[in-house]
Amino acid sequence: MNNISRAFFSFLCLFTTLFANAQYGGDTAFVLRHNGHKIFKVANPDYTLSPYTGMTRQHWKDAALYLLQGAFHYVHNMKDPMQFPKQPGKSYPRSNAQAPTEKLEGLCRTLFMAAPLLREDSTLVINNIKVADYYRYHISKLVDSTDATFIQHRAPNGGPHQNLVEFGALSLSLFSIPEILWKPLPQQIKDALAATMLSYGDGPTVPSNWKFFNIFVLSFFKSQGYAVNEKLLVEYLDKSLAHYRGDGWYNDNPAYDYYSMWAFQMYGTVWSEFFGNTYYPEYAAKFKENFKPLKDVYARMFSKDGNMILWGRSMSYRMGAIIPFPLMGFENDANINYGWMRRISSGVLLQFLQNPDFIKDEVPTLGFYGAFEPAVQPYSCRGSAFWMGKAFLGLLVPAGNPFWNAKENDGLWDTAFKKDSVYNLFCDSSHILITDYPNIGASEIRAWCKVKAIDAGEPFRASENYNRLSYNSAFPWQADSVQGVVAMNYIFKNKNNEWKPLRLYDFIKFDNGIYYRNAVLETDTAVQLKLADIPLPNGILRVDNCISANTIDMRLGHYALPEVKGRIKTAHKKLNGFDIEIIDNGVYQMAMVSLLGWNKPEVKHTVDVNAVSAESDVINVSSTIHPSGKKHIYATLMLWKKSGEKFNDEELLPVKAIHEIREDAVEIIFRNGLQKQVVY
C-alpha cells in the first residue's frame, strides 16, 4: 500500500468512526472501533521516517499505553488485582488455589508495558489510578499474609513453580526502574520480598529457559546488597549458555521456537545491560557474541510486510518475538540495518494491534489473532498473554538510538531478493531452514520436531504447534481436529481407524536446495518416509519416498486458506494430463498438483480449526500404500500466488519429468532447463 493509499485509509477509518476514540480516566487510548472491536490507531503517522508503518518511538509508547489501558479497565481502585476474564477452554485457573498465581501473572506481565512508560513519566495515571503507586502497592501485598494476592515461600522441598517465572519477570522490571518500584518501599517490605523471591530464585528450576528466572532474582538482590547463592547463579549462567547451538539459536530443551528469542536472547542481553557488564563481564560478553547473528538470521523469519510466523507453543505472546530487534540498539553497530529491524518490529505490532479479533473484553485473547484453542497451552491464564509486553522493553533503548531514527526500509527484500526466485538460509547447527519468497513477500521455516504424543507429559510439543512440514508467515497453521483432513502434513489411518499426523522427524541434510528428513508414524512404526522439500519461487515441490509393511491409507495437505472475503472460490484444471485444484480466498490462491503416486487433489471445507477464520478450505491428496516391500515415490506441487494474479502453465507445471535413476535417487527435470537429483 503506498503512502497516498495509507493516508486515504486512515482518513476513511477516522471519518466512518466519527471520533470513536475511547476514553480511560482522561487518557486517550488510540483506538478505533470496527464492528464493536477495538483496533489500535496510529495517530499522526510519520511516513517520512517510517514510510511503511508510520510508526515512531512515540507510537510504540502509544501501543504500550493502549494495552495497559485495557488491563486497567479491571482496576477501579488501588486494591483491585490484575485479574481478567477466563477464556473458555484449557487455560487456567482451574481451581481457586491457582488464583494467587493468576493475579501474580497479571501484575508482573503488565509491568512489561508499564515499566518503560513509568521510566519516562513516573506520574502516569490510567483510569484515575496512579500507575506507579498501584504497582508498588501490589508488590508490597505479595508478602502480606492477610491479602488474597499473598505468595507463600517455596516449600523447603518444593520444586519449580510458576511463581518463579513471575518473580523472574518482576526482577527484570525492578532492574529497569528501581527508583520507582523498589527504592520507595519500606525496608521491612524489601526484606520480606527478598526472602520470598529468593526462596524461589535460590532453588530448583526447569532445564530450559527457566534458569533465567532464577538468574534475574539472584542478580537483582545481589545488586541491592543481599547475600545470594552466587555459586548457583554461575551454575545457571553456564547451563543457559550451554543451550546455544549457533546462528543465533538456543535450544529450549527439546524444541526450537520463539523461546530462543523472547527468552534466551532477550534475557541474556537485558541481564548483561543491567547487571552482567558490571558483575560478570565474561558472561555478558558470551551472551553478546551469541546475539550478533540475529541481524542476519532472525530478520529472515519475518515477511516483507513485517508479519511473524505462527509456530511453536505460547503463541499468545505474539509480538514479544520482536524484542531482539530493538535490543540491537544496545550494540550501536553500523553494520546493522536498523531501519529494517524497526520496519519488521512495527509491522508485527500492527499485525496484531490492528486485527479486530485480537482484543476481547478489553484485553488480548489467548490465541494468534483471536482466541484459538488449539494454540493454547494449559499453563496459560488470560494474563499470560501480556508476556507480549516484552516487545515494549525495547523502549529501554534511548530515543536517540539509531534503532528509532533510521529510516524504515525493506532490507534484503529490496536489496537482494529478486522476483521469481526463492532464497534459502540454512542454519547448520540447529538444522533450521528459513525460506523467503519474494513473489508473495512471505517467509517460511522448517525446524525440529520429534516428540511422541502417546503418554506425553506435554502433548502440545507433539501437536500442530511443531509437527507441520513447514510454517509460513502468509498461511498460519490449521489444526487437525477434522478427521481425515490435514494442512501441511501427512496423516495416516492407523489400525484403530484414527487419522494420525507425522510428528517424529529426523533431519538428514540440506543439499543443493533440498531439505531432507526421515519420518516414522508414531502409532505404526512400519510406516516410514524419506522426505525431500524443494522450495520453488511459487511454492514447494515435494518428492517423498514412502514404505509400509501394512496396507495403510494416507493423505497429504497443502497450507489452508481461511475465509476472509466471503466463500472461497474453487477451480479445477487439467494440464498435460495432470489434475490441478485451485482455491482462492481473495487474498491468496493455492494450487495443488499430483505429479506422481497420488489420486487427484480434493478441496476440503473445514470449520473452527483455522487460526484466522472460523471457516477455511484446504486441498488434500490421498493414496493407499500396499506392503509390496518397495518404496513408493510421491511427488507433489504445492503452489501459491496472490489473488488476482493468473497462474500460467509454466507456473502450474514447472516440472517436465521425474525419473527414478536408482533405488535411493530421483532426477527432476524442470521446464526452465534446471535439473536436480534427490538423493535420499
Side-chain angles (χ1 to χ4, degrees):
M1 186 183 291
N2 61 33
N3 292 351
I4 294 175
S5 299
R6 291 177 187 276
F8 177 75
F9 177 76
S10 297
F11 169 78
L12 185 62
C13 289
L14 186 62
F15 178 79
T16 55
T17 51
L18 292 176
F19 308 107
N21 287 351
Q23 295 291 319
Y24 290 83
D27 296 305
T28 299
F30 299 100
V31 301
L32 295 172
R33 295 281 174 174
H34 175 73
N35 294 334
H37 297 278
K38 282 177 63 176
I39 302 175
F40 175 76
K41 175 181 179 293
V42 180
N44 302 313
D46 184 345
Y47 290 121
T48 301
L49 179 65
S50 302
Y52 297 99
T53 69
M55 290 190 68
T56 65
R57 189 174 187 274
Q58 179 57 51
H59 296 110
W60 279 54
K61 292 170 64 177
D62 293 344
L65 180 62
Y66 164 78
L67 290 170
L68 197 59
Q69 286 171 330
F72 269 85
H73 175 81
Y74 294 92
V75 177
H76 304 289
N77 60 67
M78 194 64 70
K79 294 183 178 181
D80 285 340
M82 279 291 178
Q83 189 175 28
F84 314 110
K86 184 184 184 302
Q87 184 170 300
K90 66 174 78 79
S91 63
Y92 91 92
R94 293 174 291 274
S95 68
N96 291 335
Q98 294 177 307
T101 299
E102 175 200 11
K103 296 170 186 175
L104 182 64
E105 282 209 43
L107 180 74
C108 297
R109 299 190 177 204
T110 56
L111 250 180
F112 284 146
M113 282 106 51
L117 296 177
L118 289 170
R119 186 171 180 166
E120 299 187 21
D121 180 11
S122 62
T123 67
L124 179 65
V125 175
I126 300 177
N127 204 19
N128 297 315
I129 302 291
K130 293 181 179 179
V131 174
D133 289 351
Y134 176 83
Y135 282 103
R136 280 196 301 268
Y137 174 85
H138 281 274
I139 290 170
S140 299
K141 288 299 176 181
L142 297 176
V143 293
D144 181 351
S145 61
T146 67
D147 195 86
T149 61
F150 172 69
I151 301 295
Q152 296 182 349
H153 283 214
R154 181 180 65 87
N157 296 318
H161 192 280
Q162 187 67 34
N163 292 343
L164 168 63
V165 177
E166 309 314 320
F167 281 144
L170 178 57
S171 298
L172 195 157
S173 293
L174 292 174
F175 260 130
S176 65
I177 49 171
E179 70 284 356
I180 296 172
L181 294 180
W182 178 256
K183 291 181 180 178
L185 297 176
Q187 190 60 46
Q188 65 270 26
I189 296 294
K190 292 179 180 178
D191 293 343
L193 281 166
T196 297
M197 293 172 69
L198 284 170
S199 76
Y200 291 90
D202 184 5
T205 193
V206 176
S208 66
N209 72 87
W210 275 47
K211 289 182 283 291
F212 271 107
F213 306 130
N214 304 75
I215 289 168
F216 270 103
V217 171
L218 293 166
S219 298
F220 176 73
F221 285 105
K222 176 176 169 59
S223 75
Q224 297 302 313
Y226 287 86
V228 303
N229 187 344
E230 293 192 53
K231 180 180 178 181
L232 186 65
L233 173 57
V234 171
E235 176 187 333
Y236 284 159
L237 287 169
D238 284 327
K239 287 183 175 179
S240 294
L241 285 166
H243 285 262
Y244 188 66
R245 297 294 181 268
D247 302 306
W249 289 100
Y250 288 83
N251 181 271
D252 197 38
N253 191 23
Y256 292 97
D257 51 35
Y258 288 111
Y259 275 95
S260 188
M261 306 306 169
W262 61 39
F264 287 97
Q265 289 289 14
M266 188 207 85
Y267 295 144
T269 301
V270 174
W271 176 85
S272 298
E273 288 295 318
F274 285 148
F275 183 80
N277 290 340
T278 300
Y279 292 91
Y280 294 97
E282 67 280 12
Y283 284 98
K286 292 177 183 177
F287 285 121
K288 291 177 183 178
E289 191 64 26
N290 294 349
F291 186 79
K292 287 180 179 179
L294 294 190
K295 67 180 184 296
D296 301 312
V297 175
Y298 193 44
R300 295 276 297 267
M301 265 185 62
F302 295 80
S303 78
K304 182 177 180 179
D305 290 338
N307 284 351
M308 66 178 284
I309 298 171
L310 172 59
W311 166 57
R313 67 189 179 102
S314 298
M315 268 295 94
S316 297
Y317 307 161
R318 297 142 164 135
M319 62 188 69
I322 66 174
I323 183 56
F325 297 123
L327 293 183
M328 290 178 190
F330 287 136
E331 294 186 272
N332 206 3
D333 181 353
N335 294 317
I336 297 175
N337 184 344
Y338 286 107
W340 187 26
M341 302 302 111
R342 194 179 75 255
R343 189 271 183 275
I344 294 170
S345 303
S346 295
V348 172
L349 291 182
L350 296 180
Q351 177 185 2
F352 298 104
L353 293 173
Q354 293 192 331
N355 186 286
D357 296 324
F358 174 65
I359 297 290
K360 184 179 181 182
D361 307 318
E362 305 296 325
V363 293
T365 57
L366 295 173
F368 192 57
Y369 290 117
F372 186 51
E373 184 69 4
V376 178
Q377 282 75 57
Y379 55 73
S380 289
C381 66
R382 190 65 179 274
S384 299
F386 284 109
W387 212 237
M388 71 180 67
K390 289 180 174 183
F392 300 104
L393 293 175
L395 292 167
L396 300 176
V397 175
N401 191 275
F403 176 80
W404 300 114
N405 296 292
K407 185 176 179 179
E408 273 187 354
N409 63 80
D410 276 334
L412 293 177
W413 296 96
D414 279 344
T415 62
F417 296 165
K418 306 300 181 185
K419 192 179 179 188
D420 296 326
S421 298
V422 64
Y423 296 89
N424 294 308
L425 176 65
F426 178 62
C427 302
D428 185 59
S429 54
S430 60
H431 303 153
I432 286 173
L433 180 67
I434 301 170
T435 304
D436 296 298
Y437 297 94
N439 283 1
I440 63 168
S443 59
E444 191 172 67
I445 191 167
R446 291 164 177 83
W448 180 94
C449 180
K450 193 175 183 180
V451 176
K452 292 184 177 181
I454 299 172
D455 299 325
E458 295 179 321
F460 55 81
R461 294 188 182 277
S463 75
E464 302 92 331
N465 292 274
Y466 295 99
N467 70 24
R468 307 289 85 168
L469 294 166
S470 56
Y471 294 85
N472 192 293
S473 63
F475 315 116
W477 61 256
Q478 177 164 295
D480 290 338
S481 305
V482 178
Q483 283 293 303
V485 180
V486 65
M488 198 42 69
N489 203 348
Y490 278 89
I491 53 172
F492 298 84
K493 197 172 188 179
N494 66 17
K495 298 171 185 177
N496 298 323
N497 287 326
E498 301 167 323
W499 288 97
K500 295 296 182 181
L502 291 181
R503 56 176 63 96
L504 302 178
Y505 300 89
D506 283 303
F507 171 78
I508 303 302
K509 61 183 176 179
F510 178 68
D511 180 54
N512 192 27
I514 306 173
Y515 190 78
Y516 294 90
R517 288 169 289 186
N518 289 349
V520 61
L521 184 64
E522 180 183 6
T523 55
D524 186 351
T525 56
V527 178
Q528 300 179 7
L529 298 90
K530 294 182 181 293
L531 306 172
D533 300 40
I534 308 174
L536 304 174
N538 291 311
I540 303 163
L541 169 61
R542 302 202 58 81
V543 184
D544 301 329
N545 252 337
C546 307
I547 188 169
S548 174
N550 306 308
T551 299
I552 192 165
D553 293 333
M554 69 175 183
R555 292 177 182 171
L556 171 67
H558 201 332
Y559 288 118
L561 275 186
E563 285 192 2
V564 291
K565 293 186 176 182
R567 277 295 297 131
I568 292 173
K569 297 177 182 178
T570 64
H572 179 80
K573 186 170 184 176
K574 197 115 176 168
L575 182 62
N576 294 351
F578 294 100
D579 288 294
I580 303 171
E581 207 69 39
I582 302 172
I583 56 177
D584 188 331
N585 72 348
V587 180
Y588 294 105
Q589 51 186 321
M590 300 275 194
M592 199 165 187
V593 188
S594 167
L595 296 176
L596 198 62
W598 298 105
N599 299 321
K600 66 180 182 180
E602 297 178 275
V603 177
K604 304 289 187 180
H605 183 68
T606 48
V607 178
D608 292 335
V609 290
N610 192 276
V612 178
S613 174
E615 299 198 45
S616 56
D617 282 1
V618 62
I619 311 173
N620 280 194
V621 287
S622 61
S623 183
T624 300
I625 304 179
H626 298 284
S628 63
K630 295 181 180 180
K631 293 181 173 65
H632 304 265
I633 298 173
Y634 291 86
T636 322
L637 283 164
M638 301 168 150
L639 306 173
W640 53 70
K641 294 197 80 170
K642 290 184 178 179
S643 184
E645 298 179 0
K646 185 178 180 180
F647 277 110
N648 61 42
D649 290 353
E650 290 74 21
E651 290 168 334
L652 283 173
L653 203 59
V655 176
K656 184 177 182 180
I658 299 176
H659 304 292
E660 186 172 2
I661 55 179
R662 59 179 189 267
E663 185 178 352
D664 66 340
V666 174
E667 183 179 56
I668 305 165
I669 302 173
F670 292 89
R671 293 190 179 278
N672 62 6
L674 180 69
Q675 295 185 20
K676 280 183 180 287
Q677 284 193 7
V678 177
V679 182
Y680 298 104

